[in-house]
Amino acid sequence: MGEDTHQHADALDWDERYGDDQLWSGHPNEQLVVEVSDLEPGTSLDVGCGEGADSIWLATRGWCATGIDVSARALGRAARAAEVAGVEVAWRPIGLEEFDPVTHDLVIAFYPALLREDGAVIETLLGAVAPGGTLLAVHHAFVDREVALEHGFDPDDYVGHDDLVAALTDRDGWTIELAEQRARTAPEGPGAHHHTDCVLRARRS
């Protein structure tokens, strides 16, 4: 099976997950609001943007926002929500692996499904951050691997919070500003179930 076929199958899988009804609350992630409200607006990239609430929130605050996701169904909802909000966001139906080498002042990745493989995707993620820019990555804490395996995926196959922290630790040109577990308020939306986040905020010098 070729790379294009894998990507097509992955997109179909995510379209199926998003189903016929909205999956998330439509509100921005609370860690985004906490960590980004003090930043000067610039260009932003939302990796795995889903139904687009985070990119839309950024756009309403003056960011030139781009959201990427493999699910056309999710992006369709995102585009409609942006229209209702009266903002423009560039929605692109691609995964991070296909992303052009363009840098952004802010790169966010909330609960990303990035395959670990040879580590190249981490370099792509970090390379998307412009000099002086910020990376904000949020992962689920306390993932039950056995439960995940029962649902057909192995969390060890994916880039996690610890992988990013390790990649950034002592790396020239980067400063980890925050790396911690943080409780969430009550999750919203039918797709939300967890109550604790791993939050990483890093700046590229």
Side-chain angles (χ1 to χ4, degrees):
M1 184 180 290
E3 183 178 353
D4 290 344
T5 306
H6 277 298
Q7 292 167 351
H8 181 64
D10 193 41
L12 292 177
D13 287 343
W14 279 101
D15 279 345
E16 183 177 352
R17 180 182 179 189
Y18 275 99
D20 296 325
D21 300 313
Q22 184 167 317
L23 186 63
W24 308 114
S25 68
H27 301 302
N29 186 284
E30 65 186 86
Q31 313 303 356
L32 175 68
V33 176
V34 169
E35 296 299 330
V36 173
S37 291
D38 63 338
L39 296 183
E40 187 71 22
T43 58
S44 67
L45 173 67
D46 186 354
V47 177
C49 64
E51 293 166 337
D54 297 319
S55 286
I56 292 169
W57 181 84
L58 288 167
T60 64
R61 298 182 65 84
W63 290 83
C64 181
T66 297
I68 64 174
D69 201 286
V70 298
S71 172
R73 180 170 289 172
L75 290 181
R77 291 177 192 160
R80 290 190 292 273
E83 184 177 359
V84 170
V87 296
E88 291 188 7
V89 177
W91 307 111
R92 298 188 61 190
I94 59 173
L96 182 61
E97 299 83 355
E98 306 163 79
F99 186 69
D100 302 329
V102 178
T103 59
H104 294 75
D105 301 310
L106 172 68
V107 175
I108 62 174
F110 292 159
Y111 321 114
L114 301 175
L115 285 169
R116 187 192 307 271
E117 295 182 332
D118 61 359
V121 72
I122 293 179
E123 298 305 317
T124 302
L125 179 66
L126 301 186
V129 182
T134 296
L135 170 68
L136 179 63
V138 179
H139 289 82
H140 299 303
F142 311 121
V143 174
D144 189 322
R145 184 168 181 266
E146 295 305 317
V147 172
L149 289 172
E150 291 175 1
H151 285 82
F153 75 97
D154 187 346
D156 290 346
D157 290 339
Y158 294 87
V159 174
H161 172 82
D162 291 341
D163 297 310
L164 291 180
V165 171
L168 288 167
T169 299
D170 298 327
R171 177 178 288 232
D172 290 341
W174 283 89
T175 300
I176 295 177
E177 298 180 328
L178 173 73
E180 67 180 27
Q181 287 186 2
R182 184 181 295 171
R184 294 186 63 187
T185 56
E188 299 178 283
H193 305 289
H194 73 288
H195 294 267
T196 308
D197 287 329
C198 291
V199 183
L200 170 65
R201 173 173 163 165
R203 179 169 289 274
R204 185 175 185 180
S205 59

